[in-house]
Amino acid sequence: HTGDMVEIYSMKHQEWILDAEVTEVVTENVRVDGCDVRAGSMKVVYANGTRCKWVSPQMIDDCLRPSSRPRLPERMRAELLKETHSWFLTGWSPVYVELNRGWLQWWDTKEKAQNNQPPVGSTYLLGLQQQCEGTVFKFRTHGTEGAVVVFQTGSEEEAAVWANALWLHAGYCEDTLEFFQAKQVGG
């Protein structure tokens, strides 16, 4: 099923790759990027999202196995205000924010994000400490090295939704770390 965490076998490296995810399942024969794909085939993304492979129905049992890796929390996107600091002033700048796979990233505009430009800021949510006050949520992580990042939403309810989503993604970061540490120790 789409969204399932799996492990995929690499014939080239003769090993199981642990970070795979089913991103698409086709229900009828289709042509994708010049290749024929059989009904029932699954598109699997792996290697930190840099590689993908279509796995046909007859190869699923040999190439894929379920993973006990934590399931991804829901992705979030919005235009928010971010607290900015200059020499003597603190102000708010509009930014486009995406929360995905335990990463919070932000760009000056939605268009820059959609055009795959690098974000102006990002942090992995491992080690999250946060607080929510009214329409504002603020946090720091291991990655912010003590700096506090502050965003403002349009309502208290929206701030609470973002704060909860940050906790879910931070939990995913912790669970993923534990999963890979256990795999290294246990093999």
Side-chain angles (χ1 to χ4, degrees):
H1 298 95
T2 301
D4 283 352
M5 299 293 141
V6 295
E7 297 175 2
I8 187 166
Y9 192 74
S10 168
M11 295 293 197
K12 180 179 177 182
H13 299 293
Q14 299 290 300
E15 68 181 359
W16 288 94
I17 299 171
L18 305 179
D19 72 341
E21 176 185 353
V22 176
T23 59
E24 195 175 335
V25 179
V26 293
T27 56
E28 55 191 45
N29 293 340
V30 294
R31 193 155 179 82
V32 179
D33 297 328
C35 297
D36 292 324
V37 178
R38 276 186 60 190
S41 295
M42 297 180 184
K43 182 178 182 181
V44 179
V45 175
Y46 59 100
N48 229 10
T50 62
R51 312 248 356 220
C52 72
K53 180 188 289 192
W54 281 97
V55 179
S56 63
Q58 70 269 23
M59 295 301 296
I60 289 173
D61 290 339
D62 294 333
C63 294
L64 297 180
R65 66 183 184 193
S67 173
S68 58
R69 201 164 42 116
R71 192 166 177 87
L72 286 169
E74 193 172 321
R75 177 182 204 164
M76 287 186 62
R77 302 176 189 121
E79 292 182 12
L80 303 174
L81 295 175
K82 183 181 178 303
E83 189 176 73
T84 57
H85 304 278
S86 59
W87 282 92
F88 301 106
L89 298 172
T90 297
W92 295 96
S93 298
V95 290
Y96 175 74
V97 180
E98 287 187 5
L99 175 60
N100 190 28
R101 298 180 179 272
W103 284 92
L104 186 71
Q105 301 179 93
W106 55 95
W107 293 260
D108 294 329
T109 65
K110 184 176 184 177
E111 293 70 34
K112 287 183 179 181
Q114 291 172 333
N115 291 329
N116 292 322
Q117 293 187 19
V120 294
S122 70
T123 187
Y124 192 59
L125 294 174
L126 192 63
L128 177 69
Q129 298 174 336
Q130 76 165 330
Q131 68 186 93
C132 190
E133 300 168 351
T135 60
V136 172
F137 63 94
K138 50 178 97 173
F139 65 91
R140 64 179 166 205
T141 67
H142 293 328
T144 64
E145 300 174 341
V148 176
V149 181
V150 184
F151 288 98
Q152 184 175 24
T153 64
S155 69
E156 288 186 23
E157 293 78 18
E158 187 181 2
V161 166
W162 274 93
N164 186 52
L166 290 179
W167 283 126
L168 290 173
H169 280 262
Y172 168 79
C173 296
E174 299 284 345
D175 293 345
T176 300
L177 177 63
E178 289 174 17
F179 169 80
F180 283 107
Q181 285 174 337
K183 282 288 186 179
Q184 283 180 333
V185 171

